[in-house]
Amino acid sequence: MRISLLSSSVIALLASTATTAAAAAAAAPVNHGKALRDWMVASGGFVHDGLEIKRSFGSAEDSPFYAIEAQRLLPQGTVLLKIPQSKLVKPHDEIAVGDRVYGFFEGNYEEGGMMATVTQIHDVEFDAQGKVVYQTYDLKYVDGDEEFEVPADNIDRHLNCATVKRLVEEMELGEASGFAPYINYLLSQPKGQLPPAWSPEGKELLNEVLGEIVSQQMAPLPPELELADRVEDVMMKTCELETDVELNFFHLLNQRGWDEVLIPVFDMMSHGNGRLLNTDHGAVREGDMVIVKASRDIQKGEELYTTYNMCPDCENRYMGYGTPELMRDYGFVENFPQRWFFWPFGRAISFEMDQVLDIDGKVVPEEYTLEWLEGRPTHRMLVYFRNQLVRLQTLVKTTLSHPPNFSDTVVAGVADTNKAVTMPESEWNTIVQFTQATMLALTQALKKSGVSDYLCDGSTTNVDSTTDENNSEFFCNLASPSQIYDDLSKPDLDEWVDDRPDTCNAGENDENHPYHRNDGEILQAIQSPYQKIEFYSNLERNNDTCFMLDQGTYFVILQGFLYSLSSQIGI
C-alpha cells in the first residue's frame, strides 16, 4: 500500500511537470527567423550559412522585429539570398471575374474613379494548342461608369487590393498554406507602425510638428501627410477592407512591399544608404529567383542592409524622396546618410547630410557633412529654414518637453497645455526622433549657408524677431545677408563682373529680365511710398541675385508731389 501511494505521488508529480512544460512551450515566443529560414530552404530557396536571422533591438526573446546578421566575413559578390518567384506573395497570375483592377478610363483618381471590377472576360486569341493567349475585359468603375472589351494593356494589375486578398486567402488556409510561416510572421508584427495607421492623437501631434497649424504663415515641413491619408482612404474604400485583419495586411503591404509584391526573408533586411548599404539585388519581377549579393565585404557581426529609395526598382525615388518620406511610408527615422527635400515656394531645395568619420572609421561626434543636390538655397529659403527651426525649438520646450505616462489610459502631462495624451509610446518616440532629426537637418543647412546665429532664441543681437497673431515669438528674419552671399570686395571684381554681362542687365526691351526669360525667382518685393523694389535671382544661368527699381512709379509720385507743392505755395 505504501509503495502504491508513492507511485501515485510520482505519477502526479510527473503529470504536473509535463503540464507545466507544455504550458511553457506554448507560451514561448516563436522564433520566426528560424522558421522562415527552414521554410525558404525547403521551398528551393537559399540562405547563406554565414547569416543568422535574429531578433533585433537587443536580445529580447519576445521582440517581434528581426534583422539579418553576418556570422563571418562575407566577401563582395557573395550570394546571400535566393528567393524563388513562387514564394513571392502577389496577386494570382490570372485575372478573374470580380477582381479589382485599374482601368485607364477618364475618371477622378482621387475619388477612386479609375478603380474597376471585372464583370466579364472575353477570350480573343489562342495559340496552336488552343490555349488562350489574349483576353479583353468588361469593367464597371466605382463611379458607376462601364467600359467593355478593354485590352489587357489598358489594365494595371499592380494592385495592393489583389495582394491583400491573396494574404487573407493564405491566412484562412492556416498551416495548409504554402506561405504559413510567412503569414504567421506577418501576424506577429505590431499594428499601427505607419503614421496613416496611428492614433488620432499621434496624427495630431505629428501634424503640429510639421507645422500644419501655422500653414497660413509658413509652408509646413515635409512629408506631405494629407496625400498619403487621401490615397489610403481611396484604397481602403476601393479594396472594400472590412476587417481588422484586412486592414493590418494592407498596412503591412504598404510598409514592406515592392508595390504589390511581398518578398519573404528579403523584407527582414533593414534600410540603409551610404556606408551602411552592403547588398544589391536583381529585378524583383524578372527571372526565376530574386538574388541578393554582397555589394562589398561584409564583416562579422555586421547587419545586412538594403535600400528603400536608391534601389534598381525604385528610380523614381532618387530625387524628391528622403528621410521625411521614409518616416511617413515605413514608420522609422533613417540613419545617416539622410536626404531632405523641401518645397515651400514651389522650387525644391534639397541636400544630403552625413556623419564625419575619423581615420579609423569611427563617427566624430556632432560633426556632419552637407551637400546641396539642386543648387544653393536663396535668402528667402534660409529665412524659412530658421523660422521653422525656431518654431520646433518652441515646440520642444513645451509640448514635447514631458513624455506622457503611457501606462495610463489618459494622461494630462503635456507642459503648458491641458491636452490629454493617449497615443502609444511607439508613436511618441517616432515623433520625438523625427523632430530631433528635422532640427538637426535645418541647423546644418543654415550652418552650411554661413548663418551662424541660427538659434533665434532672443539672445542674439542681429536677429529681427516678430510675433504671430498669437504673440508666439518664432518668426525671425535674417539680418546678415552678407554672411550668406559671396564676398564682392575682391581685387578682380572687374574681371568677375565681366564674366556675368547679363546677370542684372535687362537689355533692350527687357529681353534679359527674369520675367521675360522665365528663369528668375522673385525673392522679395518691397513697395515704398516712392517706388517698388524687387530682388530676384537668375536660376538657369548663374544664380546671382539682383534688384530692380521701379523708376516709373518713383517719377509719377515725385511729379505728383511737386505739383501738390507748387499748388500750395502758389507757383
Side-chain angles (χ1 to χ4, degrees), residues 389 438-448 451 454-455:
L389 179 58
T438 304
M439 293 176 65
L440 179 59
L442 294 173
T443 299
Q444 295 304 314
L446 290 167
K447 273 188 175 182
K448 179 73 172 181
V451 183
Y454 46 83
L455 298 180

Side-chain angles (χ1 to χ4, degrees), residues 21 43 59 67 72 172 188 215 252 255 277 283 305 329 356 383 392 416 422-424 463 484 537 547 557:
S43 301
S59 58
R72 62 173 183 266
E172 291 175 345
S188 74
S215 58
L252 286 170
Q255 180 186 25
L277 182 60
Y305 286 95
D329 296 341
V356 174
V383 172
L392 292 179
D416 300 330
T422 58
M423 73 189 71
V463 173
I484 305 169
S537 63
F547 72 90
I557 295 175

Side-chain angles (χ1 to χ4, degrees), residues 252-273:
L252 286 170
L253 176 60
N254 287 346
Q255 180 186 25
R256 312 175 71 90
W258 274 253
D259 295 328
E260 85 290 1
V261 179
L262 284 166
I263 309 178
V265 180
F266 187 105
D267 64 2
M268 303 175 89
M269 288 194 292
S270 299
H271 162 81
N273 287 318

Side-chain angles (χ1 to χ4, degrees), residues 327-365:
M327 186 279 297
R328 177 194 64 198
D329 296 341
Y330 295 94
F332 65 85
V333 179
E334 70 171 331
N335 207 333
F336 292 100
Q338 297 176 348
R339 282 192 164 201
W340 294 80
F341 297 85
F342 298 88
W343 305 79
F345 309 119
R347 172 195 173 194
I349 292 296
S350 56
F351 54 85
E352 181 169 301
M353 187 172 67
D354 202 355
Q355 294 171 309
V356 174
L357 305 181
D358 61 19
I359 58 175
D360 297 323
K362 296 181 179 180
V363 174
V364 179

